[in-house]
Amino acid sequence: MPNPASVYLLLAVPYLISLVLIIPPFQIPDEGHHYLRSVSISEGRLLPSNDGQEGTGGAVDVSAVEFVNSFSYLFFNPNKKVTRDKLDQARMYDFKGPSASTWFSAATLYPPYAYAAPSAVLAAARAVGLSQLDGFRLARLANGLLVLVAASIAIALTPRGKWFLVALCLLPMFMAQASGISSDGAVFAISLVVVAMLARAAASSFLRPGTLMAMAGLVALVAAIRIPMIALALPLGVVGWCRLPMSGWGRGWTTGLAVAVAFLPPLLWTAVAVSGQVDPRLLKSGADAGAQVQYVLANLDLLPSIAWKTLAAHGAGYLFQFVGVLGWLDTPIDPLFGFSFYGFSAFVLVAVLVIDISRRTHDDTLFSVAMAGAAILSSALIFASLYVGWTPVGYPLVEGVQGRYFLPIAAVFGVAVAGQNWPPSEKRDAVAAGLIALFYTLSLPWVMWTLVNRYYIT
């Protein structure tokens, strides 16, 4: 049977290139803000500021702002299309404009390394005189290739859930976010690698302290971008305690240090970033983190009701977005001959997961429980953070949650419940590979047609 990691790269790279070219600029959630942050970093401004603009942002090439605004007519407007004239006009924007302060608050909470790949490419594009459009597409491609390479490394490393990770990382939402400029790319890349490393460490007979600290550092890196991923410190601690070849005290101190490394830097970064954040969208929405915390503490009995109402109102939407609602979450994938893409995708993903679960033994239950607990805790932290930081005070629902936030958490859960992929099972591998091949063969043209119809066909 073919190697799952090689299969993934073979399928994902042409998918990525197609999405980079077909999805118009800035038709991924908040991509305009992420692009401006990347341009700012490429100009040497690593940290955002509040110098006179409407919200947190910084000085950036004014032609980049004009380039972003030139595609704003597409947002939530399916009657508007991309034309050759629009693309030709976009190519007129270069990287030679003066700098001016502007805001891009949707991207200022994240550390600069989240934009390392696109920023490096944009700096090179400026140096060789490319247009903003060409630099933008190359930055997209670099960011996406980094995600795909990280995903393939994770699939190769993990001793469990390989085929599930292949299927998960071929979902349209995963691929669309990977093909854009956003912090999601770094979240996907780092979280997949650390999940695979944790699974590999749990399957080994012993763990080197240096490897444990490396995993702690990766958890810290991903949690500083998306704080709910700090829940990965739970399986990190379990793996350290169970696999370090040390006596009780030495093992305890080393594991405790690793958990502290995973915990403290992202908490510190988040506290500093949030304290300096000015987002005009929040000012208009009525969100106030301090007042919301006071409301929650005074009304703890309402939390079950808020959770239930949120899932009842938005749960189906989360599932659709998890699989793939493209564009600015305004482009669902159309049915084909009466068949739902979402039902088909769910069937393939669940079937592949069941195949991986069927390999399961009971010799690693503690690690599985820790990983499942991390997935649950991380999901809860997503809702909690957005209720406090994004939802109007006292509102009976959690606002701002999107299905794509659960993609890396699904990787955690899948590895938690899957069995070992070694020794190989030719029958199971053949069925899983066949399902993924069928999914890819149908989904690629299905998704491309949806995008072409949305953005190009009048």
Side-chain angles (χ1 to χ4, degrees):
M1 285 302 298
N3 182 285
S6 300
V7 169
Y8 177 71
L9 274 183
L10 181 66
L11 299 179
V13 170
Y15 199 162
L16 173 75
I17 294 171
S18 300
L19 290 173
V20 165
L21 295 175
I22 288 177
I23 298 177
F26 317 118
Q27 304 312 303
I28 289 171
D30 295 320
E31 190 176 26
H33 280 206
H34 292 296
Y35 177 71
L36 293 177
R37 178 76 193 282
S38 299
V39 171
S40 182
I41 293 171
S42 75
E43 296 172 341
R45 304 178 185 94
L46 298 183
L47 299 177
S49 67
N50 293 315
D51 297 334
Q53 60 270 8
E54 184 179 356
T56 304
V60 70
D61 189 325
V62 294
S63 60
V65 179
E66 294 170 356
F67 174 51
V68 171
N69 291 337
S70 69
F71 286 92
S72 62
Y73 71 96
L74 292 170
F75 299 164
F76 306 105
N77 196 341
N79 295 321
K80 299 292 185 179
K81 306 295 180 179
V82 178
T83 64
R84 181 175 295 276
D85 288 342
K86 289 289 187 182
L87 291 175
D88 288 341
Q89 292 172 15
R91 285 194 175 89
M92 297 175 63
Y93 297 107
D94 56 28
F95 290 95
K96 299 178 181 178
S99 295
S101 292
T102 190
W103 71 281
F104 37 88
S105 302
T108 53
L109 287 177
Y110 310 116
Y113 61 80
Y115 303 97
S119 297
V121 170
L122 291 171
R126 180 186 301 106
V128 300
L130 294 182
S131 68
Q132 293 260 351
L133 179 60
D134 292 335
F136 168 81
R137 284 175 169 168
L138 288 173
R140 267 186 170 181
L141 182 62
N143 204 45
L145 288 175
L146 180 65
V147 176
L148 299 195
V149 169
S152 66
I153 290 172
I155 294 165
L157 279 177
T158 182
R160 51 199 290 168
K162 289 179 181 289
W163 290 112
F164 174 75
L165 290 185
V166 173
L168 178 71
C169 296
L170 285 173
L171 288 177
M173 185 57 86
F174 181 96
M175 291 300 303
Q177 291 301 125
S179 70
I181 296 175
S182 79
S183 59
D184 279 1
V187 172
F188 292 165
I190 301 171
S191 60
L192 287 169
V193 171
V194 73
V195 165
M197 290 180 68
L198 286 168
R200 193 175 186 88
S204 66
S205 57
F206 73 98
L207 175 66
R208 292 184 177 87
T211 303
L212 180 66
M213 291 303 169
M215 292 190 293
L218 289 174
V219 173
L221 289 175
V222 72
I225 306 171
R226 186 164 296 167
I227 194 64
M229 298 305 294
I230 204 169
L232 286 172
L234 175 60
L236 177 77
V238 169
V239 167
W241 181 257
C242 294
R243 293 291 182 266
L244 283 174
M246 298 178 174
S247 60
W249 278 105
R251 183 171 55 186
W253 279 107
T254 305
T255 301
L257 178 60
V259 171
V261 167
F263 241 93
L264 296 180
L267 290 177
L268 179 61
W269 169 266
T270 302
V272 172
V274 169
S275 66
Q277 177 83 345
V278 177
D279 192 334
R281 300 170 302 171
L282 296 180
L283 298 176
K284 295 174 182 176
S285 71
D288 183 318
Q292 190 77 294
V293 170
Q294 292 180 3
Y295 173 80
V296 169
L297 293 177
N299 298 275
L300 292 175
D301 58 311
L302 295 180
L303 293 183
S305 173
I306 293 170
W308 171 253
K309 290 179 180 178
T310 299
L311 294 177
H314 299 308
Y318 299 152
L319 293 175
F320 289 134
Q321 292 171 7
F322 178 88
V323 172
V325 178
L326 307 177
W328 264 75
L329 305 181
D330 61 353
T331 308
I333 300 172
D334 301 324
L336 185 65
F337 303 119
F339 290 96
S340 167
F341 181 86
Y342 299 99
F344 171 61
S345 301
F347 166 75
V348 171
L349 194 64
V350 171
V352 172
L353 180 60
V354 168
I355 291 170
D356 277 342
I357 291 174
S358 69
R359 309 170 190 264
R360 184 169 179 78
T361 60
H362 297 284
D363 58 354
D364 50 7
T365 303
L366 182 58
F367 172 74
S368 295
V369 170
M371 289 289 277
I376 294 169
L377 178 57
S378 185
S379 299
L381 288 173
I382 287 175
F383 287 100
S385 61
L386 286 168
Y387 190 69
V388 169
W390 187 261
T391 306
V393 177
Y395 200 64
L397 305 175
V398 182
E399 293 295 315
V401 178
Q402 298 177 21
R404 61 190 170 94
Y405 298 159
F406 300 98
L407 286 166
I409 297 174
V412 178
F413 180 78
V415 168
V417 299
Q420 302 281 349
N421 288 90
W422 186 266
S425 169
E426 291 190 6
K427 183 177 180 179
R428 290 187 178 98
D429 288 342
V431 173
L435 283 170
I436 289 169
L438 175 64
F439 174 72
Y440 180 82
T441 302
L442 293 178
S443 68
L444 182 58
W446 204 335
V447 169
M448 294 304 141
W449 165 249
T450 297
L451 291 169
V452 169
N453 187 50
R454 164 64 176 86
Y455 291 112
Y456 299 97
I457 297 179
T458 56

